[in-house]
Amino acid sequence: MASQESIIASQEPKITSQEPKMISQEPKTTSQEPKMISQEPKTTSQEPKMISQESKLASQEPTVTSQEPTVTSQEPKMISQGSKSASQEPNTSSQEPVTTTSSNPSSKYSNRVVLKTILEPSDRWKEFVDERVVVGGWVKTSKEVNKEPAVPEPQQQATEAPNVSPGHKDVRCVEIFQSRIPIFRSIAKIFGGGGSSHPVREKPEPAIPEPPRPSVAYLLVSDGSSVASLQVVVDSSIAPLSQLLPIGTCILVEGVLKEPSMQGKHSIELKVEQILHIGKVEQDRYPLSKKRLPLEALRDCSHFRPRTTTVASVTRISSALTFATQTFFHDKGFLYVQVPIITTTDGEGFSEKFQVTTVLGKDGKQNDTGGVSLEVVKAAVIQKSNLVEELKRSESNREALASAIQDLRKTNQLASQLEAKEKLKSGPSMKADKPSFYGDFFSQQTYLTVSGLLHLESYACAMGNVFSFGPRFRADRKESAKRISEMWMVEVQMAFSQLEDAMNCADEYFKFLCKWILKNCSEDMKFVSKRIDKSSSYRLESMISSSIEKISYMEALKKVAVKFELNQEWGIALTPEHLSYLAEDVYRKPVIIYNYPKELKPFYVRLNDDGKTAAAFDMVVPKAGTIITGSQSEERIDILNKTIEELRLPREQYEWYMDLRRHGTVEHSGFSLGFDLMVLFTTGLPDVRDVIPFPRSRGKANN
């Protein structure tokens, strides 16, 4: 009996280690919150009973706890509520809603504690030592370490083999003897007979396998809430470590936060006591590993990119910029307006647009017209319609009717495609009658919006200052590292304002974003400065402290012409290389270039009194180039009419836009900021595809 008790005691170190923790936490509570003692003794007194029962089951069936996490998932709810209240206390003391180091915002909706609550700021972990918490995340790195024997080897072997006499201290001899017992028994039965006329042949007993050596897994776990990761320590007696070690494994565990026994780069670690969930990984198909993958390779698996530290940090910065945008315009009295993504209006006049249509073949490709003329197809539509009507009246052959209806539908689709093609060939200046789109979803040509500024004007002319934030699309085949097919834009329109007002608002908004990131994303910016661009934080600080430089188009052209040996000819477009030279080499700070030639700007920009320039501006910043474009809109209907006629734009698209000038016109101006370019500028990354969660570029639309 004494040997069996020693076995049980050796198998249940966890129970004895848990009870003192629970006892040590109660005195701490009594000293700080004497009122809460009378309310919580029942909970604390019942908890050890539940643990002791579960530990008995665990000692009898060691595999149950790892396979059935739902059995143990009831207890952490009681424990995690205490951690929630503890984590929420710092939030009440903080008065700034912008501080990202506030306590776990998800504690109300989940048992787990967000790792950012523990790890940021870097010295906050001291508040959580000896706290019992539930954390979850994904394994980034892992290693398994064998445990040293807790007792001297002879005593441990005597405990593991209680049937061996105390005199046998050589374990290897005992194992050899035990492995030979089946042979001795077989020989004895063959020669001795064993009381039977025929010898009975027994199966040899298998050799007793060596028990697995106890080990500990050290897991570096991240939940995406911060740059830092938490070291999680799991003993092999709790769960099979082979399930936890693969990179990418998702775990939900409960344990106690402790200071590491050995000094290292981790200030705190979690000693796991229960495994609540294991999300396994198919290692041969999982694309991420310990080695750092280049960003170009990660674009092919965009659904796993946020699990990397770089993309996760960029995503948190992008989220902060989104919240900063909403905060800035809300505080300035702007109203948020959603503009349509599907539109019938070309927002700039001659931009490359994506056409929206539902007229497609079964293979997903637009049906081939085969060189058939539109007149022939329309005549076929009339004939087949008559045939369908005759078959409906006769009601004699249902199969023939179904076939005729299907044939008519395909012919209508073909007619719709031919009409669309003919309109495109005729050009925007042709004043053709409005076509009827047979079988298509909309009754006229529709596109994905290039710009929401025109629609935003209608609300600015009724409600004052408004802004919008959403995706914009360009079917431009000339893509670059700073422009792809789908990008998000922040667009602003202000009533009763002129060009100078738009430039001042753009300058203030840009500096507000820079301040917000430095104040609220300090840990992410430290990582960005270390891993991506060493000058990223300094660049943001210099943008805040420097005053913006404002120069006219002609002044910019003169400075560029000297450097690039250009003719100072009016109307030359300034290339991205020219603009970068002005911001990075000449002025070394943000530059606003205004009063462009009217031919270089959209039709709706206000014409200046000189008749040559348009009231438009570009804000150029180092590293990112043009990040904001703005203008004062033309409010005079006669001049706008003249511009539309000169450019030979389809007038029917802009009749609603002209109505704003006919009925209660007002001076108004605005601008648009390339949001993805702002993230690019902040992080210092070279390609915009690496800051967009799911980038869409020519030939690629993953996921």
Side-chain angles (χ1 to χ4, degrees):
M1 295 296 291
S3 62
Q4 294 179 356
E5 291 176 359
S6 63
I7 294 172
I8 296 171
S10 64
Q11 292 178 351
E12 298 182 338
K14 184 178 173 183
I15 303 170
T16 57
S17 63
Q18 284 182 351
E19 289 181 358
K21 293 178 183 176
M22 299 297 295
I23 295 168
S24 63
Q25 289 176 359
E26 288 180 3
K28 186 177 179 180
T29 318
T30 48
S31 62
Q32 295 178 358
E33 299 180 4
K35 294 182 181 180
M36 297 299 293
I37 298 176
S38 61
Q39 297 177 359
E40 294 186 356
K42 292 183 180 180
T43 307
T44 52
S45 62
Q46 289 176 0
E47 227 170 272
K49 293 180 181 179
M50 295 170 66
I51 297 173
S52 62
Q53 289 176 2
E54 292 176 2
S55 61
K56 290 178 182 178
L57 294 173
S59 63
Q60 295 173 4
E61 300 179 6
T63 60
V64 173
T65 56
S66 63
Q67 295 177 354
E68 298 182 3
T70 55
V71 178
T72 59
S73 63
Q74 297 176 358
E75 192 174 336
K77 293 181 180 179
M78 301 170 62
I79 299 169
S80 63
Q81 288 173 0
S83 64
K84 288 179 191 178
S85 59
S87 65
Q88 289 173 359
E89 286 178 6
N91 194 21
T92 56
S93 61
S94 176
Q95 296 180 357
E96 294 189 14
V98 300
T99 305
T100 56
T101 57
S102 60
S103 61
N104 174 19
S106 301
S107 59
K108 295 180 180 179
Y109 315 112
S110 173
N111 292 331
R112 74 180 182 96
V113 175
V114 175
L115 295 184
K116 183 177 182 178
T117 307
I118 304 169
L119 302 174
E120 289 188 9
S122 57
D123 59 345
R124 194 178 184 184
W125 59 269
K126 298 177 182 178
E127 304 175 12
F128 295 91
V129 176
D130 296 331
E131 288 286 339
R132 185 185 296 272
V133 295
V134 174
V135 301
W138 288 263
V139 176
K140 296 185 66 176
T141 60
S142 62
K143 66 177 179 178
E144 184 177 4
V145 179
N146 292 325
K147 294 173 63 177
E148 296 295 333
V151 295
E153 190 174 349
Q155 297 179 12
Q156 184 179 8
Q157 290 162 354
T159 306
E160 292 177 353
N163 294 329
V164 181
S165 61
H168 292 281
K169 294 186 178 180
D170 191 350
V171 178
R172 286 176 292 182
C173 295
V174 173
E175 291 177 352
I176 294 172
F177 178 74
Q178 288 178 345
S179 64
R180 299 293 188 272
I181 288 177
I183 300 175
F184 295 150
R185 287 178 180 173
S186 300
I187 295 173
K189 289 195 176 183
I190 291 172
F191 289 98
S196 175
S197 58
H198 301 284
V200 180
R201 187 174 182 180
E202 293 184 354
K203 295 182 179 180
E205 295 182 6
I208 300 174
E210 277 192 34
R213 295 183 63 182
S215 59
V216 177
Y218 292 88
L219 312 175
L220 201 61
V221 176
S222 171
D223 64 356
S225 62
S226 64
V227 176
S229 302
L230 179 66
Q231 181 167 278
V232 175
V233 183
V234 186
D235 195 276
S236 58
S237 62
I238 297 177
L241 299 186
S242 59
Q243 299 180 6
L244 305 173
L245 293 174
I247 295 174
T249 302
C250 180
I251 62 172
L252 183 68
V253 296
E254 180 203 357
V256 178
L257 293 168
K258 294 286 186 181
E259 294 187 42
S261 55
M262 298 180 63
Q263 293 294 331
K265 62 180 181 179
H266 299 286
S267 303
I268 193 169
E269 64 184 16
L270 181 71
K271 301 285 187 181
V272 174
E273 297 180 353
Q274 292 182 6
I275 302 290
L276 306 178
H277 171 76
I278 299 177
K280 298 180 181 178
V281 169
E282 297 181 19
Q283 299 183 53
D284 56 337
R285 300 181 61 184
Y286 190 62
L288 304 183
S289 63
K290 290 182 180 179
K291 295 181 179 179
R292 192 187 308 171
L293 295 177
L295 294 173
E296 294 81 2
L298 289 174
R299 293 171 194 163
D300 294 329
C301 53
S302 54
H303 50 300
F304 285 123
R305 289 199 306 174
R307 296 191 185 184
T308 63
T309 307
T310 300
V311 177
S313 185
V314 171
T315 303
R316 287 188 293 268
I317 291 174
S318 177
S319 177
L321 287 171
T322 301
F323 188 64
T325 296
Q326 297 284 348
T327 302
F328 175 82
F329 289 111
H330 178 270
D331 293 346
K332 300 297 181 183
F334 285 71
L335 297 176
Y336 175 72
V337 177
Q338 296 174 344
V339 298
I341 291 178
I342 299 176
T343 178
T344 60
T345 305
D346 185 351
E348 294 186 356
F350 292 108
S351 56
E352 297 291 336
K353 305 175 292 298
F354 289 101
Q355 184 174 347
V356 178
T357 180
T358 58
V359 182
L360 296 174
K362 292 182 179 179
D363 57 353
K365 296 181 180 179
Q366 199 162 4
N367 296 326
D368 187 13
T369 60
V372 182
S373 65
L374 180 59
E375 291 74 12
V376 174
V377 176
K378 286 185 176 181
V381 169
I382 296 173
Q383 293 177 0
K384 292 178 181 182
S385 299
N386 295 333
L387 177 60
V388 169
E389 293 299 326
E390 291 178 5
L391 291 173
K392 285 182 179 180
R393 286 194 296 268
S394 62
E395 297 183 356
S396 58
N397 193 339
R398 293 187 177 180
E399 293 182 0
L401 175 61
S403 177
I405 293 174
Q406 182 69 18
D407 192 18
L408 176 61
R409 185 179 296 113
K410 291 182 178 179
T411 308
N412 281 330
Q413 291 177 354
L414 182 59
S416 175
Q417 294 171 24
L418 288 172
E419 287 184 342
K421 283 189 174 183
E422 287 200 359
K423 184 173 182 180
L424 289 175
K425 289 179 181 179
S426 64
S429 61
M430 182 178 178
K431 305 295 188 296
D433 293 336
K434 189 176 180 181
S436 177
F437 282 72
Y438 296 102
D440 209 345
F441 191 86
F442 296 106
S443 60
Q444 55 186 316
Q445 277 185 311
T446 53
Y447 318 95
L448 295 180
T449 185
V450 174
S451 171
L453 286 172
L454 301 190
H455 291 88
L456 209 58
E457 281 188 39
S458 62
Y459 274 76
C461 293
M463 308 188 74
N465 297 343
V466 294
F467 77 103
S468 184
F469 181 33
R472 306 293 179 255
F473 307 89
R474 290 179 182 270
D476 190 354
R477 296 178 180 269
K478 297 179 182 179
E479 294 177 343
S480 66
K482 295 180 181 178
R483 186 164 297 281
I484 58 175
S485 300
E486 178 185 350
M487 298 182 68
W488 280 59
M489 304 292 289
V490 178
E491 296 170 326
V492 180
Q493 284 288 359
M494 301 178 291
F496 307 100
S497 67
Q498 298 179 352
L499 181 66
E500 189 71 22
D501 301 314
M503 289 192 289
N504 293 337
C505 182
D507 179 26
E508 189 175 355
Y509 169 51
F510 172 73
K511 291 182 177 179
F512 181 86
L513 294 180
C514 296
K515 291 178 184 177
W516 187 282
I517 292 299
L518 290 175
K519 182 178 181 181
N520 296 284
C521 300
S522 56
E523 295 299 322
D524 286 305
M525 288 307 299
K526 287 178 184 177
F527 171 81
V528 167
S529 299
K530 179 180 178 182
R531 187 72 61 86
I532 301 174
D533 185 358
K534 294 180 180 180
S535 62
S536 56
S537 296
Y538 171 77
R539 188 168 57 250
L540 292 178
E541 292 173 355
S542 64
M543 296 298 104
I544 298 170
S545 59
S546 61
S547 60
I548 198 162
E549 188 75 25
K550 297 179 182 179
I551 60 175
S552 67
Y553 164 81
M554 278 307 300
E555 291 177 287
L557 183 59
K558 289 177 182 179
K559 293 183 180 297
V560 168
V562 174
K563 170 68 177 178
F564 296 93
E565 299 180 355
L566 299 176
N567 294 327
Q568 298 182 21
E569 184 179 350
W570 178 261
I572 294 178
L574 300 177
T575 65
E577 186 181 8
H578 299 159
L579 299 176
S580 297
Y581 167 73
L582 291 173
E584 296 176 10
D585 298 333
V586 177
Y587 296 102
R588 297 183 181 180
K589 60 181 180 178
V591 179
I592 282 184
I593 304 169
Y594 62 94
N595 285 350
Y596 277 86
K598 64 178 182 178
E599 295 82 9
L600 300 179
K601 290 301 176 180
F603 74 96
Y604 57 81
V605 177
R606 193 180 199 277
L607 186 65
N608 288 329
D609 295 337
D610 57 12
K612 295 173 54 180
T613 60
F617 74 92
D618 289 339
M619 177 186 285
V620 186
V621 297
K623 191 77 175 180
T626 303
I627 200 170
I628 296 178
T629 60
S631 65
Q632 181 177 342
S633 299
E634 184 60 76
E635 83 283 0
R636 298 164 294 186
I637 190 170
D638 54 339
I639 297 180
L640 187 59
N641 260 324
K642 184 179 179 181
T643 304
I644 290 177
E645 290 177 1
E646 288 177 354
L647 297 176
R648 304 179 69 185
L649 299 178
R651 189 180 181 84
E652 63 275 7
Q653 285 191 16
Y654 303 102
E655 282 299 327
W656 68 271
Y657 187 68
M658 302 292 289
D659 283 343
L660 299 176
R661 277 73 184 165
R662 294 189 184 100
H663 312 291
T665 186
V666 62
E667 287 186 344
H668 53 283
S669 64
F671 62 87
S672 60
L673 172 136
F675 182 80
D676 301 311
L677 295 178
M678 184 66 198
V679 181
L680 202 71
F681 168 77
T682 304
T683 58
L685 287 168
D687 200 307
V688 73
R689 288 173 292 183
D690 297 323
V691 303
I692 297 176
F694 297 93
R696 270 75 173 107
S697 57
R698 184 186 176 190
K700 284 198 174 183
N702 295 334
N703 309 102

